[in-house]
Amino acid sequence: DHSSKRSLTKIYAYGHDQDQRKFWLALILTSVTLQDIRNTVGNIPMEWYKDYPHIGYDLDGKKIFKPIRNKDELDEFLDKMENPDYWRTVQDKMTGADIRLSDEQVDLVHRLQEGKFGDVNFNEYEPAIDFFSNEVMIHPVTNRPQDKRSFIPSLIEKEKVGKLVHAIKMGWIKPRRPKETTPQYYDLWAKEDPNSILGRHKMHVPAPKLKLPGHEESYNPPPEYLMSEEERLAWEQQDPEDRKLSFLPQKFACLRAVPAYSRFIHERFERCLDLYLCPRQILSFFLLFFIQVNVNPEDLIPKLPKPKDLQPFPTTQSLVYRGHSSLVRSISTSPSGQWLVSGSDDCTVRFWEVSTARCLKTVEVGGAVKGVAWNPNPSICLVAISYDDTVVLLNPGLGDRLVSTATDQLISSYEEPEEVKEQPVQWTVAEGEGHEQGHRLILKHPKAVRQVTWHGKGDYLACVMPDNGSSLQVVIHQVSKRRTQNPFRKNKGLVQCVSFHPIRPYFFVATQRYVRVYNLIKQELTKKLMANCKWISSMATHPGGDNVICGSYDCRLAWFDLDLSTKPYKVLRHHKKALRSVAYHRHYPLFASGSDDGSVIVCHGMVYNDLLQNPLIVPVKVLKGHTITHDLGVLDVTFHPTQPWVFSSGADGTVRLFT
């Protein structure tokens, strides 16, 4: 029954070793199967009955005789081979008989060996019954009154406190001394005690003395110490480390007219560093004679991986898209990578098939095209084109007809709200000849639009109208609601370009020297990046969102790690002339920059998920093909959305594909 199985489980678990467990198992199995034969000798070694014909006594006091065993090794082997129940036969040490275990008993043994409960029907994961719940019941589980000792001070604690008071009175326990908060200063350059560590140095170095002031530091120096205009310009162009004098000698009429020295605190700080970092021991000439400084020139070059290990990246010029008669300022690719749009100063926008360099469509507009941007949402077929003070949303009608038709239905399904608010931009639906060419919406701005860029979801469009004297430099349009908003009441500086964060609700605004990061939800300034450049020309955001690159007109490309610092993580000076455009690849660790020197430099920029590992930036290829026209070279670069290809547009009126 269940009670016998539970007792069997407990006794089997309480056995001290394997032999004792086997003994208890055989004993209990024997008691279960043979209820009439019980050995009553108790817990004694059965070896005591080795020389006797019986093995213990039953309940009636009669001897339990051993079974006749005359099997040798050969009989045991034959029995093992022929008897199918040999594996379930157990010898009972209390009676000496062989017992065949039933299926239930074998299953019980297996469950015990696996560490499970003996009873199959026992559920070890039964739900616990919470007797003491948080609900106040009418009849509580326990209504026992509190003990009397809970109201009386503890005698044991009283005895301990008394012992501590006695120890304090006798002086055995002393209170801790308060720590001295006054700082201690040490004069490193004073005469040390001969017993101290510094005093035992035989070659002790005294404090280095400052150079005495000369004639050039006088407020009325001789004329030969005063610099001419050419010498002053040459002094300003030198690096601070290469200058013979750290200041410009000046002449004053009297000592009262001498102003305060601006670099006084800086020079005092450098003097303290000299005292603090000066070596305190002189090496003997014998040691200096044997010390040889062997510097391997290759160790001074940073270890960078080979470009072959960083493939794929564009290496050769594959296609040239010819058709524009003037410089091509802006290019953009469709989300599928099948089509390319380019805008030029010849007042035309051309749509190309990427794989064949074939111009499928040409749209004429009313001015020089400053920027084009293809909507990144693949379910919408819209291209934003900016010229003069106008932005046109154009449906080129290329690719999937269902997408093109759905885009027209989306624009035509707009319903005007009851209350029409005044907006800084005038929205107009295209009609007539413009509608046949693909024009869908026309946005009239108060000033000339320089840049257009889409949000990643394809509903918001940002436009830049540079004007240092106006607060309306950046506007954001929502196409689905035909609404325009001016996010900034006051722009700090001349806005050059803007960009949306690919993941978070952040908005990057680049002025001439700074990049400001705004939180659009909280409507506050999050960060201010210092580019250390004279004039920022372009900006691109990494697809991960934690890195930004900026190109400038002073031939610099600054890489910012937003989690690291507000200053550039790395500044690249690979181009010889002004940078016009920078771009990141969406999937590959690549970024490119185009310059007026007619070249496109592709770099490997790997950003790791580990925050402790810095980004790996390695220049891999210089791509040349554009001819410099009117001192202008490459004006815009963009990557293919899926392939490691880069497009570039130049002042020579061509668009080139490097694969």
Side-chain angles (χ1 to χ4, degrees):
D1 56 354
H2 293 297
S3 61
S4 62
K5 290 182 181 179
R6 289 195 187 96
S7 61
L8 171 62
T9 306
K10 293 179 180 179
I11 295 175
Y12 183 80
Y14 291 155
H16 294 291
D17 54 6
Q18 195 69 18
D19 295 335
Q20 192 172 357
R21 291 186 177 185
K22 290 182 179 179
F23 164 72
W24 282 107
L25 182 62
L27 172 63
I28 295 175
L29 289 176
T30 305
S31 65
V32 174
T33 55
L34 305 173
Q35 296 289 341
D36 55 340
I37 301 176
R38 291 179 180 271
N39 201 335
T40 60
V41 295
N43 188 11
I44 63 171
M46 291 293 107
E47 296 178 357
W48 293 357
Y49 290 95
K50 183 170 61 176
D51 299 332
Y52 294 94
H54 65 282
I55 181 168
Y57 304 89
D58 57 7
L59 292 175
D60 299 331
K62 296 180 181 180
K63 296 180 180 179
I64 301 174
F65 289 96
K66 297 178 183 178
I68 300 173
R69 288 183 174 275
N70 54 2
K71 292 183 180 180
D72 54 2
E73 296 288 339
L74 184 59
D75 294 334
E76 187 74 21
F77 176 73
L78 292 175
D79 189 20
K80 183 178 181 180
M81 293 293 105
E82 296 175 356
N83 186 10
D85 296 332
Y86 177 81
W87 62 276
R88 63 167 66 194
T89 304
V90 180
Q91 181 185 2
D92 189 1
K93 291 185 179 181
M94 298 296 292
T95 61
D98 293 338
I99 301 172
R100 179 185 177 278
L101 302 180
S102 63
D103 293 339
E104 294 182 359
Q105 293 169 345
V106 171
D107 186 35
L108 178 61
V109 173
H110 286 167
R111 291 180 64 83
L112 293 177
Q113 288 178 346
E114 293 174 0
K116 300 179 181 178
F117 285 89
D119 189 2
V120 182
N121 300 321
F122 180 76
N123 184 14
E124 54 183 316
Y125 302 107
E126 289 183 355
I129 300 175
D130 189 9
F131 293 101
F132 300 93
S133 63
N134 56 354
E135 299 176 359
V136 181
M137 296 182 289
I138 302 175
H139 303 287
V141 179
T142 59
N143 199 11
R144 179 172 168 272
Q146 295 184 356
D147 295 325
K148 184 179 179 181
R149 62 175 176 266
S150 62
F151 301 98
I152 302 175
S154 175
L155 296 177
I156 299 174
E157 294 180 357
K158 180 180 178 182
E159 185 178 355
K160 287 183 179 180
V161 172
K163 288 182 179 179
L164 291 174
V165 171
H166 179 66
I168 292 173
K169 287 181 179 180
M170 297 299 293
W172 300 335
I173 298 178
K174 295 181 180 180
R176 295 178 181 175
R177 293 181 180 179
K179 294 183 179 180
E180 296 180 358
T181 56
T182 57
Q184 297 180 357
Y185 300 100
Y186 301 96
D187 189 2
L188 291 175
W189 299 101
K191 292 183 179 180
E192 289 89 355
D193 185 8
N195 296 325
S196 64
I197 297 176
L198 290 176
R200 290 198 293 268
H201 281 298
K202 295 180 181 179
M203 309 294 289
H204 177 64
V205 180
K209 295 182 179 180
L210 283 175
K211 178 187 173 184
L212 294 175
H215 294 292
E216 64 274 3
E217 297 188 35
S218 172
Y219 74 94
N220 188 13
E224 60 268 16
Y225 287 97
L226 296 175
M227 291 186 181
S228 62
E229 188 66 22
E230 296 179 357
E231 292 175 344
R232 188 182 63 81
L233 292 175
W235 181 87
E236 290 178 352
Q237 291 178 358
Q238 286 180 341
D239 293 332
E241 296 83 7
D242 300 335
R243 296 170 180 170
K244 294 182 179 180
L245 296 176
S246 60
F247 61 93
L248 285 172
Q250 294 179 353
K251 186 175 182 179
F252 298 95
C254 58
L255 188 60
R256 188 175 63 254
V258 177
Y261 186 41
S262 60
R263 299 187 72 254
F264 175 76
I265 297 178
H266 184 73
E267 288 189 355
R268 291 297 95 191
F269 178 71
E270 289 183 348
R271 168 67 175 167
C272 293
L273 287 182
D274 292 340
L275 295 176
Y276 168 59
L277 300 174
C278 178
R280 306 300 302 274
Q281 193 173 4
I282 298 176
L283 292 175
S284 63
F285 178 77
F286 182 75
L287 290 175
L288 290 174
F289 182 76
F290 283 99
I291 292 177
Q292 295 181 359
V293 181
N294 295 324
V295 179
N296 189 4
E298 296 181 356
D299 295 340
L300 301 177
I301 303 175
K303 302 295 181 183
L304 295 176
K306 297 180 180 179
K308 292 183 179 180
D309 300 335
L310 304 177
Q311 290 177 345
F313 54 83
T315 55
T316 56
Q317 177 178 306
S318 297
L319 292 174
V320 179
Y321 304 81
R322 302 182 187 275
H324 288 289
S325 58
S326 182
L327 53 88
V328 183
R329 290 191 179 273
S330 179
I331 53 176
S332 181
T333 57
S334 64
S336 63
Q338 186 178 1
W339 317 106
L340 174 73
V341 60
S342 61
S344 172
D345 276 9
D346 59 1
C347 305
T348 61
V349 176
R350 291 180 178 266
F351 292 88
W352 313 83
E353 189 177 13
V354 171
S355 57
T356 59
R358 176 181 164 208
C359 182
L360 299 175
K361 191 172 184 179
T362 302
V363 179
E364 294 184 359
V365 294
V369 180
K370 301 298 182 181
V372 293
W374 206 300
N375 195 311
N377 191 350
S379 62
I380 300 175
C381 185
L382 275 180
V383 178
I385 303 168
S386 67
Y387 62 93
D388 296 337
D389 60 348
T390 307
V391 173
V392 177
L393 299 184
L394 186 139
N395 184 358
L398 302 176
D400 195 349
R401 289 187 177 180
L402 295 177
V403 176
S404 180
T405 306
T407 304
D408 291 341
Q409 291 177 356
L410 180 66
I411 293 177
S412 60
S413 62
Y414 169 75
E415 296 180 359
E416 292 187 1
E418 296 179 357
E419 297 181 1
V420 180
K421 297 181 180 180
E422 293 185 2
Q423 299 190 91
V425 174
Q426 180 183 357
W427 292 71
T428 309
V429 179
E431 296 176 354
E433 184 179 355
H435 189 274
E436 294 178 359
Q437 290 184 350
H439 297 188
R440 294 297 178 261
L441 292 174
I442 300 174
L443 287 74
K444 285 287 185 179
H445 294 72
K447 288 172 291 186
V449 180
R450 176 179 175 181
Q451 184 211 5
V452 286
T453 180
W454 288 95
H455 186 265
K457 294 183 179 180
D459 191 22
Y460 290 93
L461 176 69
C463 300
V464 178
M465 298 171 289
D467 187 0
N468 205 2
S470 172
S471 62
L472 188 65
Q473 296 191 59
V474 180
V475 291
I476 299 178
H477 309 293
Q478 188 176 6
V479 179
S480 59
K481 296 182 179 180
R482 296 187 187 178
R483 186 176 59 184
T484 302
Q485 53 185 337
N486 179 17
F488 308 111
R489 295 181 180 177
K490 184 178 180 181
N491 293 102
K492 299 178 181 179
L494 185 65
V495 178
Q496 300 298 312
C497 52
V498 296
S499 176
F500 287 99
H501 194 283
I503 304 171
R504 302 184 186 91
Y506 292 159
F507 191 58
F508 298 88
V509 179
T511 55
Q512 289 181 342
R513 294 197 175 187
Y514 302 100
V515 177
R516 291 177 172 85
V517 185
Y518 293 94
N519 191 328
L520 296 177
I521 294 180
K522 297 182 179 180
Q523 297 182 358
E524 63 181 11
L525 177 64
T526 304
K527 282 186 179 180
K528 181 180 177 182
L529 307 179
M530 292 173 282
N532 294 341
C533 303
K534 293 182 179 179
W535 197 311
I536 296 176
S537 62
S538 54
M539 177 177 55
T541 310
H542 191 270
D546 293 333
N547 296 271
V548 175
I549 55 175
C550 294
S552 66
Y553 292 117
D554 53 349
C555 314
R556 297 184 182 185
L557 186 145
W559 176 296
F560 291 95
D561 191 340
L562 300 181
D563 296 333
L564 190 64
S565 172
T566 57
K567 294 182 179 180
Y569 162 68
K570 192 155 287 189
V571 178
L572 306 180
R573 299 180 179 87
H574 298 143
H575 289 285
K576 297 179 180 179
K577 291 187 178 181
L579 273 75
R580 293 287 177 176
S581 178
V582 292
Y584 272 112
H585 199 286
R586 293 184 187 176
H587 305 291
Y588 290 94
L590 298 173
F591 67 94
S593 59
S595 171
D596 281 343
D597 57 5
S599 65
V600 176
I601 295 182
V602 180
C603 299
H604 177 88
M606 173 60 76
V607 177
Y608 300 94
N609 293 328
D610 186 7
L611 296 178
L612 299 178
Q613 193 168 2
N614 293 329
L616 175 64
I617 302 174
V618 182
V620 292
K621 192 66 178 177
V622 179
L623 304 173
K624 295 183 179 180
H626 290 277
T627 57
I628 300 176
T629 307
H630 303 296
D631 293 332
L632 296 176
V634 179
L635 300 179
D636 194 11
V637 292
T638 184
F639 278 98
H640 193 276
T642 57
Q643 300 292 334
W645 302 345
V646 66
F647 299 90
S648 65
S649 64
D652 55 356
T654 62
V655 180
R656 299 173 188 268
L657 169 62
F658 299 92
T659 61

